[in-house]
Amino acid sequence: MSAHTVAPPAQVELAIGGMTCASCAARIEKKLNRMDGVEATVNYATEKAKVAYADGVEVADLIATVEATGYTAREPAPPVPVPEGGPAAGADDELRPLRQRLITAVVLAVPVVAMAMIPALQFEYWQWLSLTLAAPVVTYAAWPFHKAAFTNARHGAATMDTLISLGTSAAFLWSVWALFLGTAGTPGMTHPFELTIGRGDGAGNIYLEAAAGVTAFILAGRYFEARSKRKAGAALRALLELGAKDVTVVHEGGHRQTVPVGELKVGDRFLVRPGEKIATDGTVVEGSSAVDASMLTGESVPVEVATGDAVTGATLNAGGRLVVEATRVGADTQLSRMARLVEDAQNGKAAAQRLADRVSGVFVPVVIALAVATLGFWLGNGAGWTAAFTAAVAVLIIACPCALGLATPTALMVGTGRGAQLGILIKGPEVLETTRKVDTIVLDKTGTVTTGRMTLLATHVTDTTSKGEVLRLAGALEHSSEHPVAQAVAAGALAEAGTLPAPEDFVNIAGLGVQGVVEGHAVLVGREQLLAQWEIRLPVELARAKARAEAAGRTVIAVAWDGEARAILEVADAVKETSPDAVRRLRRLGLRPVLLTGDNEAVARAVAAEIGITDPADVIAEVLPQDKVDVVKRLQGEGRSVAMVGDGVNDAAALAQADLGLAMGTGTDAAIEAGDLTLVRGDLRSAGDAIRLSRKTLGTIRSNLFWAFAYNVAALPLAAAGLLNPMIAGAAMAFSSVFVVGNSLRLRGFRPGF
């Protein structure tokens, strides 16, 4: 390494414990970023911190900083395998304490609220019964709020818990004071459930129903928020849990041994029986079967695989017995890479969320100041302690920075998780904004619009020859050649005939074709020039078919035997069946599709016409790989916002240059790394689904942020004006967070297609 080379910063992901609102995340992020050489992002919804740190900084230093702020931090443990169909590990354990406190709060708070609201239930000394029931609610049930508020106070900070603790404690202590020192304990006294500014001092008024009701409402909000957050992250957890847990390794000599999948190494061969999951990425070395990859790609149709074909870990062997040689294990597998991409996207922050985080960081101190100002204002206007106190408590309780903190990450969690289920990987929140702007989509032809491999498309025979005979004799010769065109003919012949005879006297004639003897016939397969060397000419009907095929940009192979031309074969890189429908879907999204290829003009126009691109200006042919970037730049120079879909190494630079890069997951690692969206399936229709899902996720984020800001902007003035009872304020605050999470969960219903 040269003296001027700077080593890239190391990265670590920390699991953060103890966060209760977006203000907590903002505090931790601020503390970490104050460390020299540290750049951190803390996500409240995922409860994780993504930290990049320079040399000289240790992970232990980062953890110590978080703990000094009043929270816990640790490096996340690897996912724990769970039984098939079992619940996520620890799911119930995390929610059980919260659920117990919620049940206690609801059971005890309901009679307290009922007695306060319904005069018929108010008997002699009913206030003392209310105090007895409310005390456990405000102490035991609300203990997490008080504990967090105390911890934050020790570190000179205030969070959402501070507001809740202050509000409920003030209401409870005021009521205790009124009962013991005021007139609230006087027999026969009633307690009107209302707030009227200017109704006088009235120290006898108690707010036990507010203290108990607010605690119950906020605990309910926290509980349903926690459950919803778990649902939001369910797709990623399901992805991590897809893989096989054990694998049967086949050793030399045929000895088999069942071992945990973590012990599998590259080069090991393992057995996959019908109905079992493929343990890791590999290549089939024995057997054939149908493989169901729907859990990774969203594609419901099983794929046929045989010796030499690549298979992906976590997919299901739906048919025969396979022996697979491992090519990738552990963190290098496609499943692990998908999980990392999804998790990285969920930990990211959009520009709008960064603004929300800045607001959350100062939100709580501003609310406390507003509550104090509210108290002073009403006292100064002669409203009396009761009215002034009630308005101040309502201000404390109705404020909700949690909704601001949850607006982006919950939508990202659900959107990216749903994408992963459909084989769409979104790299980060910045990508979402770009999808809204793109108006042009460049489609690389080979491997994206087409299959990327030569295929036998048509066979034209003379009147005296059968198609089956042509394919059997031609396929037998071509099967011995390594040329891509020959392999396409051989594959088509095998599919048609099932088995092929063995050739004799096989000769490969470079640039022209092959010749040999098959079943006693002297057979020629190749270009027309090869036949001409043997003074064989194509009959009129075959010559016309050849001209039509070449006009469509297809490669034409002639077949002759025993001195007579018998057929011509059309070979080409076939258009995927789904590509025309994909282009129609892209148009419906308001995008202008452009076909980009290195092939000649005739081939390009033929493929474009087949998929529905008819404007000559939208077909760009004879482009060298290194010139693809220039094409994207030229389109951008025309004022277009360009998306690019590609799959090869030569597409990587163009994918990076485009405003939005969509990499086909069936392509190269370089293309996938350069893309903003990865389409795990080799189906161009998923490009439209990816853009639709991204736009829908962005729309959900925006609606969440609008609600969160609008709620606080509207609610705080109402509370300060004395128009909200504290208990109603607590219910509204709890609902705001649940609403944001619930709105995000609607993305789970996203369906591919139009």
Side-chain angles (χ1 to χ4, degrees):
M1 183 180 293
S2 68
H4 300 287
T5 302
V6 179
Q11 289 194 348
V12 68
E13 191 177 79
L14 300 177
I16 306 297
M19 291 193 297
T20 55
C21 69
S23 299
C24 300
R27 283 188 58 227
I28 298 169
E29 188 173 298
K30 187 176 180 181
K31 289 283 188 180
L32 287 172
N33 285 325
R34 282 180 178 173
M35 299 175 66
D36 291 336
V38 173
E39 185 175 341
T41 300
V42 180
N43 191 312
Y44 169 52
T46 60
E47 298 180 339
K48 290 179 181 176
K50 189 175 181 180
V51 188
Y53 57 97
D55 289 342
V57 179
E58 302 291 337
V59 174
D61 300 331
L62 302 173
I63 293 175
T65 299
V66 174
E67 290 176 345
T69 312
Y71 304 89
T72 63
R74 59 177 175 79
E75 293 187 67
V80 179
V82 297
E84 294 292 330
D92 194 57
D93 291 342
E94 294 177 10
L95 295 176
R96 186 178 294 115
L98 184 57
R99 183 168 58 245
Q100 290 172 345
R101 294 182 190 276
L102 172 60
I103 292 172
T104 300
V106 170
V107 169
L108 297 179
V110 167
V112 175
V113 173
M115 285 187 287
M117 294 179 64
I118 305 172
L121 298 179
Q122 295 171 359
F123 54 91
E124 190 173 2
Y125 301 116
W126 67 270
Q127 298 96 332
W128 296 99
L129 176 60
S130 293
L131 176 63
T132 303
L133 296 174
V137 177
V138 179
T139 53
Y140 164 73
W143 176 245
F145 308 136
H146 304 317
K147 180 182 178 182
F150 177 72
T151 301
N152 290 322
R154 284 175 51 207
H155 293 87
T159 65
M160 187 70 212
D161 295 292
T162 306
L163 301 181
I164 298 168
S165 181
L166 281 175
T168 55
S169 298
F172 182 75
L173 293 174
W174 172 280
S175 301
V176 171
W177 178 82
L179 280 169
F180 282 94
L181 301 177
T183 58
T186 305
M189 179 183 175
T190 60
H191 171 55
F193 184 78
E194 60 183 15
L195 170 61
T196 306
I197 295 298
R199 71 184 185 188
D201 196 336
N205 289 285
I206 62 173
Y207 291 95
L208 292 171
E209 82 287 348
V214 164
T215 300
F217 277 126
I218 295 176
L219 281 172
R222 287 272 173 96
Y223 177 72
F224 290 116
E225 177 189 317
R227 284 191 59 184
S228 298
K229 281 165 64 179
R230 288 201 60 81
K231 289 181 182 178
L236 178 58
R237 289 193 301 277
L239 192 64
L240 290 169
E241 293 162 3
L242 275 178
K245 309 302 182 284
D246 298 302
V247 58
T248 302
V249 178
V250 181
H251 297 286
E252 289 186 15
H255 171 64
R256 300 177 186 176
Q257 180 185 9
T258 301
V259 300
V261 73
E263 296 182 11
L264 200 62
K265 299 179 180 63
V266 172
D268 285 349
R269 294 189 174 189
F270 58 93
L271 176 67
V272 189
R273 301 177 183 87
E276 289 184 343
K277 289 181 179 179
I278 296 172
T280 193
D281 298 357
T283 303
V284 177
V285 294
E286 184 183 321
S288 62
S289 181
V291 173
D292 180 359
S294 58
M295 64 285 294
L296 288 184
T297 67
E299 177 57 65
S300 59
V301 180
V303 178
E304 296 292 333
V305 298
T307 302
D309 290 337
V311 290
T312 305
T315 54
L316 184 68
N317 179 16
R321 173 185 178 277
L322 297 175
V323 177
V324 179
E325 182 174 312
T327 55
R328 290 178 177 176
V329 297
D332 295 328
T333 64
Q334 182 171 333
L335 176 64
S336 296
R337 292 168 63 203
M338 287 175 63
R340 281 200 302 275
L341 283 172
V342 174
E343 196 157 14
D344 287 346
Q346 292 181 350
N347 285 329
K349 289 187 179 181
Q353 183 60 35
R354 295 188 184 279
L355 171 62
D357 286 349
R358 286 196 293 271
V359 172
S360 298
V362 298
F363 189 87
V364 173
V366 168
V367 170
I368 292 175
L370 180 60
V372 172
T374 299
L375 181 68
F377 173 81
W378 288 117
L379 286 176
N381 280 272
W385 274 99
T386 298
F389 171 80
T390 305
V393 169
V395 168
L396 288 173
I397 291 173
I398 201 166
C400 186
C402 295
L404 291 172
L406 291 167
T408 294
T410 52
L412 268 178
M413 286 173 70
V414 182
T416 55
R418 180 58 181 148
Q421 291 175 328
L422 299 174
I424 299 166
L425 306 181
I426 303 170
K427 280 199 173 176
E430 300 83 3
V431 174
L432 304 178
E433 187 66 31
T434 306
T435 60
R436 184 181 63 87
K437 301 174 182 176
V438 292
D439 53 33
T440 301
I441 185 162
V442 176
L443 309 175
D444 177 64
K445 180 185 81 71
T446 305
T448 302
V449 172
T450 65
T451 61
R453 61 183 182 274
M454 302 299 281
T455 304
L456 178 62
L457 298 181
T459 303
H460 303 274
V461 300
T462 60
D463 293 338
T464 59
T465 310
S466 70
K467 179 181 176 182
E469 187 178 16
V470 168
L471 291 177
R472 189 175 70 256
L473 298 181
L477 276 185
E478 296 285 52
H479 193 56
S480 299
S481 173
E482 296 297 326
H483 194 281
V485 172
Q487 288 298 302
V489 172
L494 279 168
E496 182 77 19
T499 58
L500 299 174
E504 300 174 17
D505 301 326
F506 173 82
V507 178
N508 182 38
I509 305 170
L512 291 179
V514 294
Q515 66 184 47
V517 177
V518 182
E519 295 182 340
H521 299 286
V523 182
L524 301 173
V525 183
R527 300 174 67 178
E528 190 176 359
Q529 292 92 320
L530 176 62
L531 274 64
Q533 289 182 359
W534 293 82
E535 298 182 354
I536 299 174
R537 300 184 63 180
L538 293 177
V540 175
E541 64 268 28
L542 293 185
R544 288 173 178 169
K546 176 178 179 289
R548 288 194 299 269
E550 288 178 338
R554 293 174 177 175
T555 300
V556 177
I557 304 299
V559 181
W561 63 81
D562 298 340
E564 184 180 344
R566 309 283 182 161
I568 64 163
L569 310 176
E570 294 184 28
V571 178
D573 180 6
V575 171
K576 296 176 183 176
E577 293 181 359
T578 57
S579 292
D581 185 37
V583 170
R584 287 192 292 271
R585 295 184 183 189
L586 292 170
R587 289 190 192 280
R588 286 201 288 270
L589 287 171
L591 301 174
R592 178 181 177 182
V594 173
L595 183 68
L596 180 66
T597 179
D599 287 341
N600 62 52
E601 193 79 20
V603 172
R605 296 204 180 283
V607 171
E610 193 171 345
I611 64 174
I613 298 178
T614 56
D615 189 339
D618 292 337
V619 182
I620 305 174
E622 300 179 17
V623 178
L624 296 175
Q626 60 268 30
D627 295 334
K628 290 183 178 181
V629 173
D630 295 331
V631 172
V632 174
K633 286 181 178 178
R634 176 169 61 80
L635 292 171
Q636 290 170 329
E638 295 172 0
R640 304 192 200 182
S641 182
V642 180
M644 165 85 182
V645 188
D647 74 328
V649 172
N650 54 22
D651 298 325
L655 288 169
Q657 173 62 38
D659 299 289
L660 178 70
L662 295 93
M664 303 293 276
T666 52
T668 64
D669 290 347
I672 292 171
E673 287 299 319
D676 301 305
L677 290 163
T678 298
L679 314 175
V680 178
R681 283 187 288 161
D683 186 342
L684 187 57
R685 290 179 300 183
S686 59
D689 292 333
I691 292 173
R692 281 180 55 238
L693 176 60
S694 297
R695 288 178 175 178
K696 195 170 183 66
T697 304
L698 178 64
T700 302
I701 289 173
R702 289 183 165 180
S703 63
N704 283 349
L705 286 170
F706 173 81
W707 163 263
F709 276 109
Y711 163 81
N712 284 291
V713 168
L716 284 170
L718 286 174
L723 300 176
L724 288 176
N725 182 276
M727 190 171 63
I728 296 174
M733 190 278 283
F735 173 75
S736 67
S737 293
V738 174
F739 172 84
V740 166
V741 179
N743 188 44
S744 299
L745 286 173
R746 292 191 304 119
L747 288 168
R748 296 173 74 189
F750 177 86
R751 293 287 181 269
F754 290 82

